[in-house]
Amino acid sequence: MMELLQYDFIRNALISTVLVSIACGIVGTYVVTKRLVFISGGISHAAFGGIGLGYLLGINPVLMAIPYSILSALGIGVMSQRTNVSEDTAIGILWTVGMALGIIFINLSPGYAPDLFSYLFGNILTVPNFDLLLMVLLDCVIVGAVALLHREFAALSFDEEFAQVSGVPTRFLYLLLLCLVALSVIVMIRVVGIILVIALLTIPVAICRQFTERLMTLMLLSILTGIIITLFGLWLSYVLDLSSGATIILALGAAFLLVSLFKRTKKSSP
Amino acid sequence: MPNSGVVSLKNVTVVRGGETVLEDLTLSVDESDFLAVIGPNGSGKTTLLKVILGLIEPDAGDVWIVGHEPKDARMRIGYLPQKFDFDHSFPINVFDVVLMGRYSGLFHRYTKDDRDATEMALATVGMSDFLDRQIGKLSGGQIQRVFLARAIVKDPRLLLLDEPTASIDPEMQSSFYELINELKEKMAVIMVTHDIGVSSVHVDKIACINKKLFYHGSVEGGLKHIEELYECPVEIVAHGVPHRVMGRHDHK
């Protein structure tokens, strides 16, 4: 195992595991407790439009996906706050339009898009140094925002009406939270891909909320759980020679199932 | 110019989707008043609360809360919502729920004062033994007490109660009203309700609204007029306890 660490791609894989788990543990806590799972799915899929645009313009697709996914997050949020379009309809529209745009952009780009598949399903073993740096930056933004605004985010997630009455700028913070979801999606794209992002945002938190009743503890536990299970999934994919993103998700799913069953049998036994 | 008193509404009209929800409503509440706002479903009671809270801007008329516009007076208003519409498995304990009531602006940390006030408020509502309890693991009446503590934790001048008895057992109601009567010494209380039977025993004044204000004054005077005001009212207004209303107040 030690000689494996000498390879750059293994080292990058380990670092990105930690970076992804930090983003997922923090943002995922709000995604699960405020029930933003579907909206996060919309934001992550819409980000594919940004990937395609990156190909078309010859810009790093992950970099291009940042403004694109933030704009789609704001689009979903503003559409559901300001117009008569209900939130799930807004999500459905941006989700599919984003993906369709991505495909058209790639059609229009010259040549062939060889690593397109890795944006959809991720490949933790091919994270380039530049993208790793980007992930560090985005993690800093996420951690910083939550460190400054965790009181507001907690109030917003628990009881939005009361938060508004107490003077919390709920509309602004809701949009900001969606932007943090967008940024965490970007952090994850290289590792698990657009289609599997939701699993990393939800499953570690879903596992850990069975063990804690504090929001902050839930974040920290989820980060830790994310790291451990993602590493296990990565190792498993290496041993069994399977796709890393999918194996990580299956490991997370299996862990959730085991923990839930364990909790249930413990509860039913006297 | 802002009027004196805790709440002052003058000729307030609210139109929503082309329909008039409140029409030319004038109402005032003074210190230590306990006012019940009574009206059938769809009479604009909840809209009135939202106007006072600054969540709805009236289309006409003036609203002053302790001498401020409603939006600027939010720090002075404690609010107990009707529905405890939250995720009961939300990872938060009783103490932190009440502490949220001390929110005072972006980037303000909760201080020792905030924590002390939280403990005091929980003591006032008799929930000191449950500080560490996850909020969903309480009964309906206990949750209401915690939310009441959250409403009073910042020492508001005005306490708004939206159908407070709808979500608790009848046995809990009298102790709830006892508590409100203690709080009334420190703050004005407005309670929106359709339960005229119980409220008439505990409140000082009533206001009957059905889009317009029909009556505003003492409890006895209001009950005398109740049938004319609502035409076929007692069943609508006080369903569940009509006998009690009839029995106590011989208004025919």
Side-chain angles (χ1 to χ4, degrees):
Chain A
M1 197 71 194
M2 278 317 282
E3 64 266 25
L4 275 178
L5 286 172
Q6 289 167 0
Y7 296 108
D8 276 355
F9 71 93
I10 293 285
R11 212 182 47 216
N12 282 7
L14 294 181
I15 296 172
S16 43
T17 299
V18 174
L19 294 174
V20 159
S21 300
I22 291 172
C24 293
I26 295 174
V27 177
T29 293
Y30 296 121
V31 168
V32 171
T33 55
K34 182 137 180 67
R35 312 218 162 157
L36 299 174
V37 176
F38 188 48
I39 208 170
S40 306
I43 293 170
S44 66
H45 283 78
F48 190 66
I51 302 279
L53 195 59
Y55 269 109
L56 184 62
L57 302 176
I59 300 170
N60 179 337
V62 174
L63 202 59
M64 195 62 224
I66 295 177
Y68 194 93
S69 63
I70 285 187
L71 282 178
S72 0
L74 292 175
I76 292 173
V78 171
M79 250 163 108
S80 56
Q81 278 181 1
R82 297 286 159 84
T83 66
N84 286 332
V85 183
S86 74
E87 190 173 87
D88 49 350
T89 307
I91 295 166
I93 292 169
L94 276 155
W95 177 312
T96 47
V97 168
M99 292 228 65
L101 273 175
I103 292 164
I104 298 295
F105 287 146
I106 289 167
N107 284 162
L108 294 174
S109 354
Y112 169 67
D115 51 352
L116 184 63
F117 201 68
S118 80
Y119 290 111
L120 289 176
F121 298 101
N123 189 346
I124 196 170
L125 297 174
T126 61
V127 182
N129 283 333
F130 175 79
D131 289 22
L132 209 58
L133 198 67
L134 199 65
M135 288 160 74
V136 173
L137 274 174
L138 296 182
D139 264 6
C140 288
V141 174
I142 291 170
V143 172
V146 172
L148 285 174
L149 294 168
H150 64 93
R151 285 170 291 270
E152 285 80 3
F153 284 139
L156 178 74
S157 307
F158 179 63
D159 186 342
E160 189 164 344
E161 187 191 30
F162 188 85
Q164 191 185 359
V165 169
S166 316
V168 177
T170 48
R171 285 192 171 174
F172 165 74
L173 285 164
Y174 181 66
L175 293 178
L176 185 64
L177 192 56
L178 294 187
C179 290
L180 293 185
V181 171
L183 293 183
S184 67
V185 165
I186 305 295
V187 173
M188 284 179 278
I189 282 182
R190 279 287 187 184
V191 176
V192 286
I194 280 169
I195 294 178
L196 303 179
V197 154
I198 286 302
L200 265 182
L201 270 178
T202 52
I203 301 177
V205 182
I207 292 173
C208 295
R209 78 178 298 177
Q210 307 184 43
F211 297 98
T212 178
E213 289 162 359
R214 303 300 297 269
L215 219 46
M216 283 295 143
T217 321
L218 180 57
M219 283 184 189
L220 295 174
L221 272 183
S222 303
I223 292 172
L224 215 61
T225 307
I227 292 174
I228 293 168
I229 299 177
T230 308
L231 285 180
F232 175 72
L234 185 59
W235 171 78
L236 211 60
S237 76
Y238 172 78
V239 172
L240 302 176
D241 194 21
L242 293 170
S243 159
S244 61
T247 314
I248 290 168
I249 304 304
L250 288 181
L252 284 164
F256 177 74
L257 196 68
L258 282 176
V259 167
S260 303
L261 286 175
F262 173 71
K263 270 278 176 185
R264 178 163 290 192
T265 48
K266 214 176 136 196
K267 217 178 254 174
S268 57
S269 64
Chain B
M1 264 305 285
N3 280 23
S4 60
V6 179
V7 177
S8 162
L9 278 79
K10 222 168 194 178
N11 309 109
V12 167
T13 296
V14 175
V15 183
R16 275 284 169 275
E19 218 170 299
T20 306
V21 189
L22 288 178
E23 193 181 341
D24 201 26
L25 195 87
T26 298
L27 194 69
S28 65
V29 177
D30 294 323
E31 302 281 345
S32 300
D33 265 357
F34 186 178
L35 172 78
V37 177
I38 298 165
N41 286 340
S43 59
K45 290 176 303 205
T46 303
T47 306
L48 175 65
L49 276 195
K50 289 191 170 172
V51 167
I52 295 173
L53 282 165
L55 295 176
I56 291 179
E57 285 230 11
D59 296 272
D62 291 318
V63 184
W64 296 102
I65 314 292
V66 285
H68 295 84
E69 302 251 1
K71 273 185 185 167
D72 303 323
R74 278 179 184 166
M75 294 294 183
R76 314 291 185 82
I77 306 176
Y79 172 50
L80 183 69
Q82 176 181 3
K83 281 189 204 140
F84 306 130
D85 203 4
F86 66 94
D87 175 0
H88 281 244
S89 64
F90 196 95
I92 191 166
N93 65 20
V94 166
F95 185 86
D96 285 346
V97 168
V98 178
L99 189 61
M100 277 180 184
R102 294 286 293 190
Y103 180 79
S104 60
L106 288 173
F107 314 126
H108 285 210
R109 288 166 174 280
Y110 295 120
T111 60
K112 186 169 183 304
D113 279 355
D114 294 330
R115 288 169 201 286
D116 291 346
T118 300
E119 283 183 16
M120 288 264 289
L122 279 165
T124 305
V125 300
M127 289 294 292
S128 292
D129 294 340
F130 299 89
L131 297 185
D132 292 328
R133 189 73 67 92
Q134 192 263 336
I135 185 74
K137 291 184 180 151
L138 298 174
S139 72
Q142 288 172 324
I143 290 175
Q144 185 176 50
R145 280 169 177 266
V146 172
F147 278 51
L148 182 62
R150 182 179 70 167
I152 61 170
V153 70
K154 59 187 165 182
D155 279 324
R157 298 279 301 279
L158 172 66
L159 178 61
L160 295 181
L161 311 170
D162 192 357
E163 299 277 6
T165 51
S167 52
I168 51 172
D169 303 333
E171 308 91 76
M172 300 286 293
Q173 288 185 8
S174 61
S175 66
F176 178 79
Y177 281 113
E178 270 169 40
L179 195 56
I180 300 299
N181 269 309
E182 281 170 37
L183 292 172
K184 188 182 89 172
E185 304 302 319
K186 293 182 214 154
M187 57 195 82
V189 182
I190 298 180
M191 173 173 74
V192 155
T193 183
H194 62 260
D195 186 356
I196 191 176
V198 176
S199 59
S200 63
V201 181
H202 298 277
V203 304
D204 305 325
K205 289 181 183 166
I206 58 174
C208 304
I209 66 168
N210 195 353
K211 286 182 187 164
K212 292 183 198 170
L213 181 74
F214 280 86
Y215 175 82
H216 182 198
S218 72
V219 178
E220 291 74 23
L223 288 172
K224 243 173 237 164
H225 292 101
I226 204 102
E227 278 203 351
E228 317 154 23
L229 300 177
Y230 291 96
E231 284 165 20
C232 174
V234 178
E235 268 123 37
I236 306 168
V237 177
H239 63 87
V241 282
H243 304 297
R244 217 164 129 189
V245 176
M246 303 285 221
R248 280 201 191 168
H249 302 273
D250 188 18
H251 57 280
K252 287 221 163 152

